[in-house]
Amino acid sequence: ISILSCLYWENILVPMQVNPLVLYGFMLLFLINPTKTFYYKSRFWLLKLLFRVCTAPFHRVEFADFWLADQLNSLVIVLMDLEFLVCYYSFELNWNKSNGLLPDNTGHAVCHSYSYGVRAIIQCLPAWFRFVQCLRRYRDTKRAFPHLVNAGKYSTTFFVVTFSALYSTHKAQNHSDTQVFFYLLIVFSVISSCYTLIWDLKMDWGLFDKNAGENTFLREEIVYPQKAYYYCAIVEDVILRFAWTIQISLSTLDVIPSTADILATVLAPLEVFRTLAPHREPSLQLPITCYVGND
């Protein structure tokens, strides 16, 4: 309804920029509604869990805590879109025009760049939550493996985002060292993808587990009887872990305007599917308050 109202704003006589605000405002009010209606327990369980994720270093990390933090890592594009929405409505939107959401091509857009820093911080937040959760679990268990190794996996995101931001800002300002940051971005993106892929294959999927028995190349315990589901999901995981190569190639060539945004829109739901793929079931079967296994 919101999209249709935005597209046909001239027919309903409602300014274009009002529709997204109504949608997000309704969703926010639905979430924080204090009355015991509309899934009250579920909503406040989620709010409580979000609070625990944001304060991870100060308490023990339970299964639900790192599960939600994992989901946030797959929803980083959504978080960046929310940041863009707040920034755009605060600084760039022309409230005097009924079609204020349409680009004015002034060339002074700030919200879609890394120049003011907030965008990079938002992009790093989900990885930071999991990073400090892993450090806290190491503090509680004194087990360097897997917790410190897992923390190292999430720390690679900080380097990727940092060099991506530096490359983007230096490219926009035509600095001579732009290519240096581009190559550093490629190097750390490869390191991050390889690191996370090895973790996925070995720790999550149990690839080449010597105790797998009849589950060739998989872990010993699986939930779905058809092993083909797992093999297809492994292939999907490998492809999506390196999907950034397509995005960065097309955006560098500048063949089509906004190519990076279009591709990010396509890859964002695929990343969610990758996270939901059946590779963590043995852990999910454990009670939330008793989980002490691998991330």
Side-chain angles (χ1 to χ4, degrees):
I1 295 176
S2 179
I3 294 176
L4 291 175
S5 299
C6 194
L7 291 175
Y8 297 100
W9 64 273
E10 293 179 325
N11 298 328
I12 61 176
L13 302 179
V14 176
M16 180 184 291
Q17 56 266 30
V18 171
N19 295 285
L21 283 183
V22 172
L23 174 63
Y24 282 99
F26 172 78
M27 295 173 67
L28 178 61
L29 291 176
F30 177 82
L31 179 62
I32 64 175
N33 171 24
T35 63
K36 295 186 177 182
T37 56
F38 301 111
Y39 307 100
Y40 172 80
K41 291 184 178 179
S42 299
R43 289 187 290 105
F44 277 82
W45 176 83
L46 177 60
L47 289 174
K48 178 183 177 181
L49 210 55
L50 284 171
F51 177 77
R52 288 182 58 85
V53 168
C54 295
T55 58
F58 307 110
H59 52 76
R60 287 185 61 87
V61 179
E62 298 178 353
F63 172 80
D65 302 332
F66 81 73
W67 175 84
L68 181 59
D70 265 346
Q71 306 313 310
L72 292 178
N73 274 272
S74 295
L75 297 174
V76 65
I77 295 295
V78 176
L79 298 178
M80 293 174 68
D81 284 347
L82 290 175
E83 174 271 330
F84 175 82
L85 178 79
V86 174
C87 177
Y88 186 81
Y89 272 83
S90 301
F91 302 111
E92 294 186 9
L93 177 63
N94 188 346
W95 289 95
N96 296 322
K97 294 182 178 180
S98 297
N99 61 343
L101 290 183
L102 298 179
D104 55 10
N105 297 320
T106 58
H108 301 292
V110 173
C111 295
H112 199 58
S113 70
Y114 288 99
S115 58
Y116 73 121
V118 177
R119 192 168 182 81
I121 294 174
I122 296 296
Q123 196 170 356
C124 283
L125 273 182
W128 168 257
F129 293 147
R130 286 296 290 120
F131 177 75
V132 294
Q133 282 181 343
C134 292
L135 295 183
R136 174 66 197 213
R137 295 189 71 180
Y138 169 70
R139 177 183 179 276
D140 293 337
T141 64
K142 306 302 180 185
R143 294 167 56 192
F145 183 85
H147 304 311
L148 289 185
V149 179
N150 204 15
K153 179 186 71 173
Y154 288 102
S155 70
T156 60
T157 300
F158 307 146
F159 295 98
V160 173
V161 173
T162 298
F163 290 119
S164 178
L166 290 172
Y167 168 65
S168 177
T169 53
H170 283 237
K171 181 181 179 181
Q173 298 170 8
N174 295 319
H175 286 187
S176 58
D177 56 355
T178 300
Q179 290 301 313
V180 175
F181 292 116
F182 176 73
Y183 293 132
L184 287 172
L185 170 61
I186 296 297
V187 169
F188 280 95
S189 294
V190 171
I191 293 174
S192 178
S193 294
C194 291
Y195 200 149
T196 53
L197 180 61
I198 291 173
W199 182 274
D200 290 345
L201 296 180
K202 183 60 181 175
M203 300 300 296
D204 290 340
W205 297 100
L207 194 65
F208 299 117
D209 187 349
K210 62 181 180 181
N211 298 318
E214 296 180 354
N215 302 324
T216 310
F217 301 133
L218 301 176
R219 64 195 330 166
E220 184 177 3
E221 297 180 23
I222 61 175
V223 173
Y224 298 103
Q226 296 296 330
K227 292 189 282 291
Y229 295 156
Y230 296 88
Y231 299 135
C232 291
I234 288 176
V235 174
E236 175 203 24
D237 187 68
V238 174
I239 294 173
L240 293 180
R241 281 299 187 188
F242 287 91
W244 60 267
T245 57
I246 303 174
Q247 187 173 359
I248 200 170
S249 299
L250 294 178
S251 61
T252 302
L253 294 175
D254 291 328
V255 178
I256 304 174
S258 303
T259 302
D261 293 332
I262 296 173
L263 197 56
T265 303
V266 174
L267 294 177
L270 294 179
E271 171 61 20
V272 175
F273 294 147
R274 186 197 66 77
T275 305
L276 296 177
H279 67 291
R280 293 178 180 264
E281 306 92 329
S283 300
L284 289 173
Q285 295 177 61
L286 295 176
I288 288 179
T289 56
C290 299
Y291 182 78
V292 294
N294 296 334
D295 292 351

